Amino acid sequence: MAPATRSVVLRLDDLALPPRYLTVASDLPLSHLLRSLPLPSSSFYLTSDGRPFPPSAPVASLPPSASLQLRLRALRGGGGDGGSTCAESRDCYLSMYLAKKPDKADPNEARLSRFTCCALSGEPLAAPAVADRLGNLFNKEPLVEALLHKRLPKALSHIRGLKDMIPIHLHPKPGAADEEVRFQCPVTGFEFNGKSQFLVLRGCGHVLSVKALKEVKTPGCLVCHKEFEEADKMPINGTEEEVAALRQRMEEERGKLKDKKDKKLANGLSGSKHAAPAAIADTEKLENGKKGEAAPAKRYKAADHAPAYANKKVYASIFTSSNKSDFKETYSCRSLPLGRN
């Protein structure tokens, strides 16, 4: 006679697995239902309708509903005897996972921001706009204000004054006044969003795409036709190598300018034209008088400086210090000298 069988539904919700529908002999233990699950017996227990069942109980002891739920036991610290709770370790793990990690910046958004916003204030680029000698873009007004109040960040310490700013001309994109990308190349129509390489001509300040200057071979600007040299091309928001080359060029130009000023100052001091006033005064003292004596001061006379074809006496009479009047004041009119009425 064949042994009696039972249909059992084994629910595995704690393992995130679908339920299993089994038909087994009634005299087999419940652990037979779990032989396909690689779980130690101490890590789970079985319940049916809220009642716990030991794994050694026979299948026949299940209620008629024959629905069995597998439950995982909560993890305990140490050997399970209560001597070690591992509370500190759990707290460390909770702190690690609950701590908010900083969001990674989207490189595409960062690139777009460098081409559409001022590198200092973060405001949208608008005329008048300028570029520094490293290819960064700014709105001129906040940059000048920061220079006047000495509020430039350390990263922009290479900007020392207006001479380090290059006025640029951005070509507006038609119908894009309210869009984020509002400028484009006037020749190719490429949007000024960082996806294409752009450069500024230092002589005229027009901003063009690199492809436009490659395709159109001309010694002049494609907008204003002003001639430029290869050294006048300055990349905008270039790569690290391009920025390093621009920085080296900036330092070289400043060094040459400093040497030129020092040479001009040295040449000026060696000649009498730019000599110090004190040195000229000492020379005049030695020529006009004896050594160690100051030359007598020459008295100013208005008649000696009269214009051509002018009467020296009349010209000198204009100045009160040159006209010694012999008139005396009268009792009746002190302000009107006698003989002038």
Side-chain angles (χ1 to χ4, degrees):
M1 183 177 181
T5 59
R6 292 283 305 272
S7 296
V8 181
V9 179
L10 179 61
R11 300 188 179 277
L12 306 172
D13 298 339
D14 287 4
L15 298 179
L17 295 175
R20 296 186 178 185
Y21 301 90
L22 306 173
T23 301
V24 295
S26 301
D27 58 344
L28 292 177
L30 296 178
S31 58
H32 182 78
L33 303 175
L34 308 174
R35 60 183 178 179
S36 61
L37 299 177
L39 294 174
S41 59
S42 60
S43 63
F44 67 90
Y45 63 97
L46 299 171
T47 63
S48 179
D49 295 334
R51 291 178 53 195
F53 280 84
S56 58
V59 175
S61 61
L62 292 175
S65 62
S67 178
L68 197 63
Q69 181 77 31
L70 183 140
R71 297 289 186 182
L72 295 178
R73 299 183 186 274
L75 297 178
R76 293 179 295 178
D81 57 356
S84 175
T85 61
C86 293
E88 296 82 6
S89 299
R90 287 200 300 270
D91 182 67
C92 292
Y93 277 105
L94 289 175
S95 300
M96 179 177 65
Y97 285 106
L98 292 178
K100 186 177 181 180
K101 297 181 180 179
D103 297 332
K104 293 184 179 179
D106 188 354
N108 296 325
E109 292 295 331
R111 182 188 65 240
L112 179 63
S113 176
R114 295 175 64 190
F115 279 83
T116 58
C117 299
C118 172
L120 177 63
S121 64
E123 300 174 352
L125 277 178
V130 295
D132 62 6
R133 297 191 182 186
L134 301 183
N136 300 311
L137 303 177
F138 303 90
N139 289 336
K140 185 175 181 181
E141 184 176 350
L143 182 58
V144 172
E145 185 177 354
L147 281 171
L148 292 176
H149 296 88
K150 298 181 179 180
R151 295 176 181 173
L152 277 179
K154 189 176 180 180
L156 301 177
S157 59
H158 60 278
I159 303 178
R160 301 176 182 177
L162 296 178
K163 293 183 178 180
D164 294 328
M165 303 180 191
I166 302 174
I168 62 175
H169 304 288
L170 294 169
H171 186 74
K173 178 182 174 183
D178 299 331
E179 297 180 7
E180 188 173 9
V181 180
R182 297 184 295 170
F183 305 103
Q184 66 178 14
C185 174
V187 180
T188 61
F190 290 167
E191 292 187 353
F192 195 67
N193 55 9
K195 294 183 179 180
S196 303
Q197 294 179 331
F198 279 79
L199 51 81
V200 58
L201 301 178
R202 298 179 60 175
C204 61
H206 284 104
V207 177
L208 302 168
S209 64
V210 173
K211 187 175 182 180
L213 293 176
K214 285 184 178 180
E215 293 184 352
V216 183
K217 304 295 183 180
T218 174
C221 174
L222 299 178
V223 180
C224 64
H225 308 294
K226 183 177 180 180
E227 293 187 2
F228 63 89
E229 299 178 357
E230 190 67 24
D232 293 331
K233 298 179 181 179
M234 188 182 73
I236 293 179
N237 294 324
T239 61
E240 294 182 2
E241 294 78 10
E242 292 173 337
V243 173
L246 290 175
R247 188 181 297 275
Q248 182 179 359
R249 177 183 174 183
M250 178 182 65
E251 297 298 336
E252 291 176 355
E253 290 178 350
R254 286 178 175 175
K256 292 179 181 179
L257 183 61
K258 185 177 182 301
D259 294 341
K260 185 177 179 180
K261 288 183 178 179
D262 294 342
K263 186 176 180 180
K264 184 177 180 181
L265 181 61
N267 293 337
L269 292 177
S270 62
S272 60
K273 182 178 179 180
H274 300 282
I280 298 176
D282 294 341
T283 305
E284 292 179 352
K285 289 180 183 179
L286 293 177
E287 292 178 355
N288 298 331
K290 297 180 180 180
K291 185 177 181 180
E293 295 181 1
K298 187 177 180 180
R299 187 175 180 181
Y300 177 84
K301 293 183 179 180
D304 296 338
H305 300 275
Y309 308 105
N311 189 309
K312 293 184 178 182
K313 186 176 181 181
V314 175
Y315 180 79
S317 66
I318 298 175
F319 303 94
T320 56
S321 60
S322 302
N323 186 14
K324 295 182 179 180
S325 177
D326 295 332
F327 297 111
K328 295 182 180 181
E329 297 176 350
T330 63
Y331 176 77
S332 60
C333 184
R334 299 183 62 185
S335 63
L336 185 61
L338 185 61
R340 288 193 179 185
N341 48 0

